[in-house]
Amino acid sequence: RKEVEQDPGPFNVPEGATVAFNCTYSNSASQSFFWYRQDCRKEPKLLMSVYSSGNEDGRFTAQLNRASQYISLLIRDSKLSDSATYLCVVNGETPNFGNEKLTFGTGTRLTIIP
Amino acid sequence: EAGVAQSPRYKIIEKRQSVAFWCNPISGHATLYWYQQILGQGPKLLIQFQNNGVVDDSQLPKDRFSAERLKGVDSTLKIQPAKLEDSAVYLCASSRNGAPSNSPLHFGNGTRLTVT
């Protein structure tokens, strides 16, 4: 089983719709979870961290389900500018205290259609 | 604040040739990462430095890849000799410390390597 698994998509969604992605992880000891956004031919950028209680940032909501070992990202009222690849990121082994190894999923490609 | 600087942006080489990439992290960031991103995949960690020491290089193909961060600031990644499967974008990232939960990674623009 891969450490971090995502549906690669592509998801083609009309503007204004709501879209959700899931991501599963294999290491039950993982403590930190993130969603990064990567535009075409650009570097990844942190979109949001995922907290145990769930968190919301404008149109974006992230949820964590530790029992089932998955995290989710919900985008409401999608905009054309939301078109990107969304990378699920989980901290894995901690070889040294204070140093966390981040594992990236393959990413889910989202295209918002006008 | 200035971002993570990488050079070159693009590099095309023939297989069996050597290549080197350079990265200058954000000032004051102790942790530096090199990731390899093959087309259609997520970034894969090659090596992580904390100051000038190696924290994790478990996924670095050490028979052909090497990296150093001698003064704990900028870093170079070298491939010698290159193979076709090394074609990828090489991303450098830095963070204030090695704990992404409170110190997010900042990525550079990357170096796109094509091996022919």
Side-chain angles (χ1 to χ4, degrees), chain A residues 45-78:
Chain A
K45 292 185 179 177
L46 178 65
L47 177 66
M48 58 198 304
S49 301
V50 186
Y51 303 123
S52 297
S53 54
N55 48 303
E56 189 174 311
D57 183 2
R59 299 181 293 106
F60 297 81
T61 300
Q63 297 278 354
L64 167 64
N65 185 317
R66 285 191 186 274
S68 301
Q69 293 183 209
Y70 77 83
I71 66 173
S72 63
L73 178 67
L74 181 80
I75 306 175
R76 289 182 301 277
D77 187 25
S78 53

Side-chain angles (χ1 to χ4, degrees), chain B residues 24-81:
Chain B
N24 191 17
I26 293 173
S27 178
H29 280 196
T31 310
L32 185 147
Y33 312 77
W34 282 103
Y35 283 87
Q36 179 194 57
Q37 187 172 23
I38 292 172
L39 186 65
Q41 298 182 20
K44 182 183 90 170
L45 179 68
L46 292 175
I47 188 167
Q48 179 180 342
F49 292 95
Q50 182 75 8
N51 297 309
N52 61 350
V54 175
V55 169
D56 185 357
D57 62 357
S58 56
Q59 297 190 96
L60 187 73
K62 297 180 186 62
D63 57 334
R64 299 183 301 105
F65 286 65
S66 64
E68 58 184 16
R69 193 186 185 199
L70 292 175
K71 296 182 180 178
V73 181
D74 56 351
S75 175
T76 55
L77 175 69
K78 296 179 182 178
I79 307 175
Q80 179 180 6

